Amino acid sequence: MNEEETDRSRRAQLAESLVRVRERVDRACANAGRSPDEVALSAVTKTFPASDAALLADLGVTDLAENREQEARPKVAEFQRLRPGAGVRWHMVGQLQRNKARSVARWADVVESVDSDRLIEALRRAVDNALEAGERSAPLDVLLQVNLDQRTDRGGCSPGEVPELAEKMARMCEIRLCGVMAVAPLGEDPDVAFATLSGISERLRRDFPEAREVSAGMSGDLESAIAHGSTRVRVGTSLLGGRPLVSR
């Protein structure tokens, strides 16, 4: 199979998977009495090539997500070469070290894994520098990642830290608080986790009405997340297939 045939085959695979994922979202929204327009889809392209991201953009996917900065940076650059001017937004959804803030500020439109005041400050400085250097033209949208099971290896702030961190960001012009993100604890009922996140989001919006986004739900639990008010699902495996084995 030559390169052109391979490209057509992969595009067909992704198109079929995208239809199935969107059908799941539509059904979940119908069951929850919600409009599918209320739930955005982010394609998690980690470990997959920029060519897959380009094909997804061709199929109408406008939000692409990565969880490792060192993988994302060259991938975004390659994507821009493959699809110059494509209207996509890149999301950083993995844990982010402060020393990577400067690099992330150059390519990310959204960081969904903000979980500490030190990371907030690092991102503020990084975005300010990127704006000054002409490396970006707009503030950085961020979500507060909430840890719902207290496992430190999963990232996220505690629910009790959310108001303080939100207040800190509200005083900044370089970054914009858009809502909350969470991952359901492994091996536990996702309904309980997403109901908790829904309550956290509701309380946050009382003081910060613009923080409307709730990024929750992945391939295995997006129906539960949508039932509890998720406005964005992050789908990787159900869309792109099993993750290829890579060495790091």
Side-chain angles (χ1 to χ4, degrees):
M1 185 180 293
N2 61 35
E3 184 176 345
E4 184 177 348
E5 291 171 334
T6 300
D7 189 70
R8 283 201 301 268
S9 176
R10 182 56 170 161
R11 179 189 174 96
Q13 291 174 355
L14 293 174
E16 183 178 348
S17 296
L18 183 59
V19 168
R20 290 198 298 266
V21 169
R22 285 179 169 158
E23 286 175 345
R24 286 179 62 188
V25 171
D26 288 351
R27 286 195 300 270
C29 287
N31 291 337
R34 302 177 62 193
S35 167
D37 293 338
E38 298 176 22
V39 182
L41 169 66
S42 287
V44 183
T45 52
K46 66 179 183 180
T47 74
F48 287 93
S51 57
D52 277 355
L55 290 173
L56 287 169
D58 293 344
L59 293 167
V61 175
T62 58
D63 292 88
L64 302 169
E66 290 287 322
N67 80 333
R68 290 174 60 89
E69 193 283 327
Q70 51 267 57
E71 176 187 350
R73 183 176 3 100
K75 185 182 297 184
V76 172
E78 175 66 6
F79 175 88
Q80 291 170 343
R81 187 189 68 80
L82 292 171
R83 297 295 186 274
V88 303
R89 283 167 60 81
W90 286 94
H91 297 241
M92 175 65 179
V93 297
Q95 287 183 263
L96 178 61
Q97 297 176 327
R98 296 193 307 278
N99 62 4
K100 300 293 185 181
R102 184 173 181 180
S103 181
V104 165
R106 294 180 178 136
W107 62 262
D109 299 288
V110 188
V111 174
E112 300 193 16
S113 49
V114 174
D115 59 3
S116 71
D117 56 356
R118 290 188 296 174
L119 179 55
I120 290 169
E121 180 58 28
L123 285 171
R124 184 200 67 75
R125 292 195 304 268
V127 172
D128 184 54
N129 290 334
L131 289 168
E132 283 283 334
E135 295 169 328
R136 64 180 303 122
S137 59
L140 177 69
D141 290 342
V142 302
L143 304 182
L144 281 172
Q145 182 178 354
V146 184
N147 187 322
L148 299 177
D149 62 1
Q150 303 305 305
R151 278 182 52 183
T152 57
D153 61 322
R154 296 289 290 274
C157 64
S158 70
E161 293 176 296
V162 169
E164 180 182 350
L165 295 177
E167 183 64 39
K168 182 180 183 69
M169 282 187 282
R171 298 191 296 267
M172 299 177 176
C173 61
E174 297 87 357
I175 57 180
R176 296 183 294 216
L177 174 63
C178 296
V180 293
M181 182 271 265
V183 177
L186 292 172
E188 298 184 22
D189 185 351
D191 283 324
V192 174
F194 294 139
T196 299
L197 184 65
S198 178
I200 293 168
S201 174
E202 182 179 353
R203 290 190 293 274
L204 178 65
R205 292 196 306 272
R206 291 173 191 164
D207 294 323
F208 305 95
E210 69 283 1
R212 296 181 295 271
E213 185 152 353
V214 181
S215 177
M218 299 188 291
S219 293
D221 55 20
L222 66 84
E223 287 84 1
S224 174
I226 289 172
H228 291 284
S230 172
T231 65
R232 177 174 299 280
V233 293
R234 309 180 304 275
V235 180
T237 301
S238 291
L239 190 54
L240 290 115
R243 304 274 175 212
L245 295 176
V246 294
S247 58
R248 295 292 183 191

